[in-house]
Amino acid sequence: MNKLSLDRQAQVIKVLCEGNSIRSTARITGTAINTVVKLLKEVGLACLDYQDRVMHELTCNKLQCDEIWSFVYSKAKNVPEEHSGKFGYGDVWTFTAIDADTKIVPSWYVGLRTADCAFDFISDLKARLANRVQLTTDGHKMYLEAVEAVFGSEIDYAQLVKLYGQELEAEKRYSPAKCLGAEKQVIQGNPDKRAISTSYVERQNLTMRMSMRRFTRLTNAFSKKIDNHILALALYFMHYNFVRPHKSLANPYPRTPAMAAGLTNHIWTIEEIIKL
């Protein structure tokens, strides 16, 4: 990798950020697979460190949180006995938060779908905020407990509880049951009921699946190691927050979520990320 020019490194990272797998990136750019992996690791570590340092004192107003499933090493049912129960083997969940106004993702966390991981995620989110916010999550109990423990009364919190019909046996594997509606439940404070929604964070989940090959369902392009999984996420969120202009932020001029949130005054380039 040390022999690659900055332009060549930028080409590799751009191809990765467009949703290609490690192997397809190697083929498209004419780069060795090991070189692509090494570059992903080094750039991912830099992105992880940079975002952890700058994502503080954010003046977000309306946040939405959700979690997205993936797996590492193998599907849970295929994990060898010697790795059974170990984190990084089988199911892995990525918690994300998004600001409804600036579209910035201020916090994300890789873990399990448990109360402990939800608490760690919400704690990290709170540490990055400068003011009281309105927060919406789905109806999962782990969020209810985590938000109460971390924020106490210093938040306007609501849950959007979706109501599903009976799941058809023929469709059980590939699609959830039909959503019949949703109930807005105020949990804490005085949230604006018109802004109780998880639409933006759910759309963010789709963007993640489209932008990272290892998140695509029903393929063999999954993460083989949890460390690489986390670093790929770090690169993705750096590209999403700082490099790619968001269509909803086009007026009065094209902006990225980081620009809308006041973290930078320009659209970053891939080369700037590599120079970190």
Side-chain angles (χ1 to χ4, degrees):
M1 192 197 70
N2 293 332
K3 296 180 181 179
L4 291 182
S5 65
L6 179 61
D7 289 342
R8 186 76 177 279
Q9 293 181 51
Q11 183 185 26
V12 171
I13 296 300
K14 285 178 183 177
V15 174
L16 285 173
C17 290
E18 288 301 323
N20 290 275
S21 66
I22 295 292
R23 292 183 182 276
S24 65
T25 298
R27 290 193 297 269
I28 292 169
T29 62
T31 307
I33 291 177
N34 289 341
T35 302
V36 175
V37 173
K38 186 177 180 182
L39 182 60
L40 170 63
K41 288 180 178 180
E42 295 197 359
V43 176
L45 280 170
C47 293
L48 197 64
D49 177 69
Y50 183 80
Q51 290 176 97
D52 185 51
R53 287 190 286 110
V54 303
M55 292 287 186
H56 289 283
E57 295 299 314
L58 299 174
T59 55
C60 301
N61 292 311
K62 298 180 180 66
L63 291 171
Q64 301 175 11
C65 294
D66 198 12
E67 72 283 349
I68 178 173
W69 172 85
S70 58
F71 67 94
V72 174
Y73 186 82
S74 73
K75 289 284 187 67
K77 64 180 181 180
N78 297 324
V79 173
E81 185 176 348
E82 63 267 26
H83 297 309
S84 180
K86 295 181 181 178
F87 176 63
Y89 295 90
D91 294 343
V92 171
W93 293 83
T94 303
F95 294 81
T96 58
I98 190 171
D99 178 30
D101 298 322
T102 65
K103 305 304 185 295
I104 196 166
V105 175
S107 177
W108 54 276
Y109 180 89
V110 178
L112 302 174
R113 204 183 195 192
T114 63
D116 288 341
C117 288
F119 176 83
D120 290 341
F121 166 63
I122 296 298
S123 296
D124 181 78
L125 176 62
K126 182 180 186 297
R128 301 182 185 281
L129 302 175
N131 50 268
R132 186 185 181 108
V133 298
Q134 174 169 330
L135 175 66
T136 305
T137 69
D138 59 25
H140 204 293
K141 184 180 178 181
M142 63 179 179
Y143 288 118
L144 189 67
E145 296 173 346
V147 172
E148 181 180 4
V150 174
F151 283 96
S153 62
E154 299 301 315
I155 193 171
D156 300 311
Y157 177 44
Q159 289 188 333
L160 188 71
V161 181
K162 293 184 178 179
L163 308 174
Y164 292 96
Q166 186 175 2
E167 194 171 39
L168 298 178
E169 189 65 31
E171 299 179 356
K172 181 177 283 189
R173 284 189 62 191
Y174 300 108
S175 60
K178 183 177 180 181
C179 183
L180 303 179
E183 292 182 353
K184 297 180 178 181
Q185 298 182 359
V186 175
I187 306 299
Q188 176 67 46
N190 186 32
D192 180 357
K193 290 189 176 181
R194 295 170 299 178
I196 298 175
S197 171
T198 56
S199 296
Y200 290 126
V201 72
E202 289 173 3
R203 182 59 180 83
Q204 172 61 223
N205 287 349
L206 175 60
T207 304
M208 290 173 66
R209 292 210 183 277
M210 298 294 290
S211 301
M212 286 178 284
R213 184 61 172 163
R214 63 190 69 221
F215 270 78
T216 308
R217 291 183 180 273
L218 303 178
T219 73
N220 62 352
F222 54 89
S223 296
K224 311 307 186 289
K225 297 179 180 179
I226 188 64
D227 290 345
N228 292 352
H229 187 77
I230 293 172
L231 295 178
L233 280 161
L235 174 60
Y236 163 77
F237 284 116
M238 188 74 195
H239 183 265
Y240 168 82
N241 282 328
F242 288 84
V243 177
R244 191 169 74 177
H246 201 286
K247 285 189 176 181
S248 70
L249 303 174
N251 290 319
Y253 52 85
R255 292 176 295 162
T256 62
M259 292 173 67
L263 295 177
T264 184
N265 60 4
H266 68 285
I267 298 173
W268 279 45
T269 65
I270 295 293
E271 287 80 3
E272 284 180 276
I273 291 181
I274 295 171
K275 289 178 181 179
L276 289 175

